[in-house]
Amino acid sequence: MTEPTPAYKARLFEPLARQPASHRISTVIEQKILRRSLRPGDALPTETELAEQFAVNRSTVREALRRLESAGLVGREGGSKRLKVTRPGHAETASRVGRTLALDDVTFIELWEAMRAVAPRVAALSAEQGNAADVAQLEAIVAAVETARSADGAVNQVVEFFGKLAELSGNRVLQLAMQPVTRLLAPSLRRMIDRVPQGRTRILVAQRCIVEAIREHKPDEAESWMTRHVQDFRRGYELAGIALDTKVGIGSMAD
Amino acid sequence: MTEPTPAYKARLFEPLARQPASHRISTVIEQKILRRSLRPGDALPTETELAEQFAVNRSTVREALRRLESAGLVGREGGSKRLKVTRPGHAETASRVGRTLALDDVTFIELWEAMRAVAPRVAALSAEQGNAADVAQLEAIVAAVETARSADGAVNQVVEFFGKLAELSGNRVLQLAMQPVTRLLAPSLRRMIDRVPQGRTRILVAQRCIVEAIREHKPDEAESWMTRHVQDFRRGYELAGIALDTKVGIGSMAD
DNA sequence: TCGCACTATATTGTCCGACAATCGGACTAT
DNA sequence: ATAGTCCGATTGTCGGACAATATAGTGCGA
């Protein structure tokens, strides 16, 4: 599946890659950025200059730039005209991951498993790191979950809760891992809340316990509460009578 | 931090978004793909046709296409000329995530925490799912780790091991989460092996135990062995005298 | 009728030159 | 200092052009 080479025929030569100039150009610039020769904030040369330096037409340069732009490696700040080197924002990367997963028809249970793996550790780390201000922010979100009038609003706040938690953990890897998962899980959560009336209050209880554990810097408690919380989510989902292998849709991709 | 508006001055109007035509075009096509009007495998119209339909110049269409190409939403199969709709490959998405993290100067400890969260669950799931053929593949990789002559070779095989494990788990979310992490962790592992001679054999022992647990369908054992394995990795790292907050570099981005 | 070489056509990658819109400054008047 | 004006630089888009080559026919031989 991951091996494109047919096993029955050893290939002597790779198909020599004659990449279009535009592609090679974007690769060169990309490398410069990844190797920090070009640093975030630096302005790129103008299109005309680049065209001269690479000795190609400006149109060719532009195609390369569009590619880098889409990769999030360059972009504009404000209404500016010049392109600058930017570091790909987490939000954008996360949304790209979400897209990949959604197009892959991942199922609820796959997302849930990821949640089960990551969320408890995130909670534990947050309990180690969190300070009073952080806890206050979490409490604000929990309050918003409670008072949200629409189910959609509540769901969004729950997503926020996890996002903030990931932020508090101080771990950008876990943060980036969690973001697409929660976003894709949101529609499922929405349906679950609709069909299981007590679901929302159970969420609130769990959140309060987690926040409490974080406030008191008890990682183990935070972790175990989060574990229970995630388990609960699945149970609610089953209770709602939705199949675990339901494909999550694109509904949540609100770029 | 996330609020660019100065607090002291309420902004009355949003900056009105004048998107370039090429950008709007790529968005339109992207939406068609995400909403499954265009499905993977479908061929896009030719550039000339698109230019006619959108009533723009071909150059403009091309810029839009480069954007989509970079997003992994369209691409070519083989040496083909026509662009086809493709689902963004996991490999590509994973490498993009890796890039984002690397440019963010994530530290060893952050990656390790992610590993700690995900890997044990992956092992457990694999133990539930794995069949004899899968186990054989894992054993092959373990053997390769043992017989690898160069340290680099061994490290690559270890990465392979985790990759295969993630594949066996049948969970594409965890698979996608794990891939960038292991790849970014590879150089650290390399250095660790260099400095801690017994590291390699410890890895082998752990891998054997994990494979054994998978063969016998014992998720709990697989999980706890993996937990120990990951803990061990960290200990080896500390033993090697490398700071836990060492930034991982771009070294592993071998696109 | 099938398979294969060969040709014609379509399509892409790149180039050239052009132009309107507008952004960044410099310079000026209030 | 602020607002108004002017100008060069830069981007976004356009139209047309051409070589290279993938694709589709087309015809030929078995």
Side-chain angles (χ1 to χ4, degrees):
Chain A
M1 204 58 83
T2 56
E3 183 54 69
T5 310
Y8 54 86
K9 192 167 188 179
R11 80 171 12 158
L12 189 47
F13 297 110
E14 291 299 313
L16 56 87
R18 278 182 301 90
Q19 293 175 327
S22 65
H23 192 288
R24 268 175 296 161
I25 290 176
S26 65
T27 307
V28 168
I29 300 179
E30 175 183 325
Q31 290 303 322
K32 272 240 183 322
I33 296 175
L34 291 183
R35 304 210 185 295
R36 319 283 173 119
S37 308
L38 283 170
R39 307 166 127 276
D42 291 356
L44 285 174
T46 65
E47 295 176 354
T48 318
E49 266 176 287
L50 285 173
E52 281 172 11
Q53 295 184 17
F54 285 113
V56 297
N57 193 274
R58 190 160 73 96
S59 313
T60 308
V61 169
R62 292 191 113 249
E63 295 193 24
L65 290 179
R66 291 299 85 75
R67 199 179 264 122
L68 292 172
E69 213 174 28
S70 166
L73 289 172
V74 306
R76 270 173 249 282
E77 285 168 1
S80 169
K81 199 164 256 200
R82 285 293 272 288
L83 276 174
K84 291 189 171 183
V85 176
T86 62
R87 53 188 40 181
H90 277 199
E92 200 187 338
T93 305
S95 111
R96 173 140 321 160
V97 173
R99 253 189 351 207
T100 303
L101 291 175
L103 276 176
D104 255 352
D105 286 328
V106 292
T107 61
F108 170 83
I109 192 68
E110 285 176 286
L111 288 167
W112 181 84
E113 282 286 356
M115 204 66 184
R116 176 178 170 192
V118 174
R121 289 302 307 152
V122 166
L125 286 173
S126 297
E128 289 173 11
Q129 314 265 336
N131 58 38
D134 298 333
V135 173
Q137 288 185 304
L138 277 181
E139 279 172 341
I141 296 176
V142 174
V145 172
E146 184 166 23
T147 60
R149 271 192 300 279
S150 69
D152 275 331
V155 169
N156 284 337
Q157 290 301 324
V158 171
V159 172
E160 272 300 305
F161 179 79
F162 281 107
K164 178 56 79 177
L165 212 57
E167 195 185 322
L168 295 202
S169 75
N171 186 313
R172 289 160 291 179
V173 181
L174 291 175
Q175 196 178 345
L176 189 51
M178 199 130 123
Q179 205 161 323
V181 176
T182 51
R183 278 186 55 179
L184 286 173
L185 231 27
S188 304
L189 177 59
R190 170 67 213 270
R191 274 186 290 170
M192 197 265 270
I193 288 186
D194 279 346
R195 304 197 196 179
V196 185
Q198 70 272 29
R200 195 157 152 186
T201 59
R202 295 195 67 133
I203 291 174
L204 270 171
V205 172
Q207 286 185 332
R208 292 231 174 76
C209 294
I210 293 167
V211 173
E212 189 61 27
I214 293 174
R215 188 211 323 275
E216 298 176 5
H217 294 289
K218 295 180 177 170
D220 292 340
E221 276 192 32
E223 185 164 357
S224 72
W225 271 111
M226 181 57 93
T227 304
R228 256 175 284 182
H229 183 27
V230 176
Q231 295 282 2
D232 225 35
F233 179 29
R234 172 170 173 174
R235 215 166 298 131
Y237 201 76
E238 290 172 325
L239 224 73
I242 316 176
L244 287 179
D245 58 355
T246 304
K247 297 170 185 170
V248 302
I250 299 287
S252 57
M253 308 306 301
D255 286 34
Chain B
M1 204 59 83
T2 56
E3 183 54 70
T5 309
Y8 55 85
K9 193 166 188 177
R11 101 170 357 159
L12 191 47
F13 297 109
E14 293 298 314
L16 54 85
R18 277 178 303 92
Q19 292 178 326
S22 65
H23 191 288
R24 270 175 294 160
I25 290 176
S26 65
T27 307
V28 168
I29 300 180
E30 176 183 325
Q31 288 303 321
K32 272 241 184 318
I33 295 176
L34 290 181
R35 305 214 181 293
R36 317 286 172 116
S37 308
L38 282 170
R39 294 189 299 167
D42 292 357
L44 285 173
T46 66
E47 295 176 354
T48 318
E49 265 176 287
L50 285 173
E52 282 172 12
Q53 295 184 17
F54 286 113
V56 297
N57 192 280
R58 190 160 75 95
S59 313
T60 309
V61 168
R62 290 190 113 250
E63 295 194 22
L65 290 179
R66 290 300 85 74
R67 202 184 284 271
L68 294 172
E69 213 174 26
S70 166
L73 289 172
V74 306
R76 270 174 251 281
E77 288 167 358
S80 169
K81 194 164 262 199
R82 284 292 272 288
L83 276 174
K84 291 190 173 184
V85 176
T86 62
R87 50 190 43 181
H90 277 200
E92 201 187 337
T93 306
S95 111
R96 173 142 320 162
V97 172
R99 249 184 2 202
T100 304
L101 292 174
L103 276 177
D104 256 349
D105 286 328
V106 293
T107 61
F108 170 83
I109 192 67
E110 287 177 287
L111 286 167
W112 180 83
E113 282 285 357
M115 205 65 184
R116 176 176 170 194
V118 174
R121 289 303 305 153
V122 167
L125 286 174
S126 297
E128 287 173 12
Q129 312 265 337
N131 56 41
D134 297 333
V135 172
Q137 287 184 305
L138 277 181
E139 279 172 340
I141 296 176
V142 174
V145 173
E146 183 166 23
T147 60
R149 272 191 300 277
S150 69
D152 274 331
V155 169
N156 284 337
Q157 289 303 323
V158 171
V159 171
E160 272 299 305
F161 180 79
F162 281 108
K164 178 57 78 177
L165 212 58
E167 195 185 321
L168 295 202
S169 77
N171 186 316
R172 287 159 293 179
V173 181
L174 291 175
Q175 197 178 343
L176 188 51
M178 198 131 125
Q179 204 161 323
V181 176
T182 50
R183 278 187 55 178
L184 286 173
L185 232 26
S188 305
L189 178 58
R190 172 64 212 272
R191 274 186 291 170
M192 197 265 270
I193 287 187
D194 280 348
R195 304 196 197 180
V196 184
Q198 69 272 30
R200 194 156 152 188
T201 58
R202 295 195 68 133
I203 290 174
L204 270 171
V205 171
Q207 285 186 333
R208 292 235 174 74
C209 293
I210 293 167
V211 173
E212 190 61 27
I214 293 174
R215 189 213 320 276
E216 297 175 5
H217 294 289
K218 294 179 177 170
D220 291 341
E221 276 193 30
E223 185 164 356
S224 72
W225 271 111
M226 179 58 92
T227 303
R228 255 175 285 182
H229 182 28
V230 177
Q231 296 281 3
D232 224 36
F233 179 29
R234 172 171 174 174
R235 216 166 298 134
Y237 201 75
E238 289 172 324
L239 223 74
I242 316 176
L244 286 180
D245 58 356
T246 304
K247 296 169 186 171
V248 301
I250 300 286
S252 58
M253 307 306 303
D255 285 33

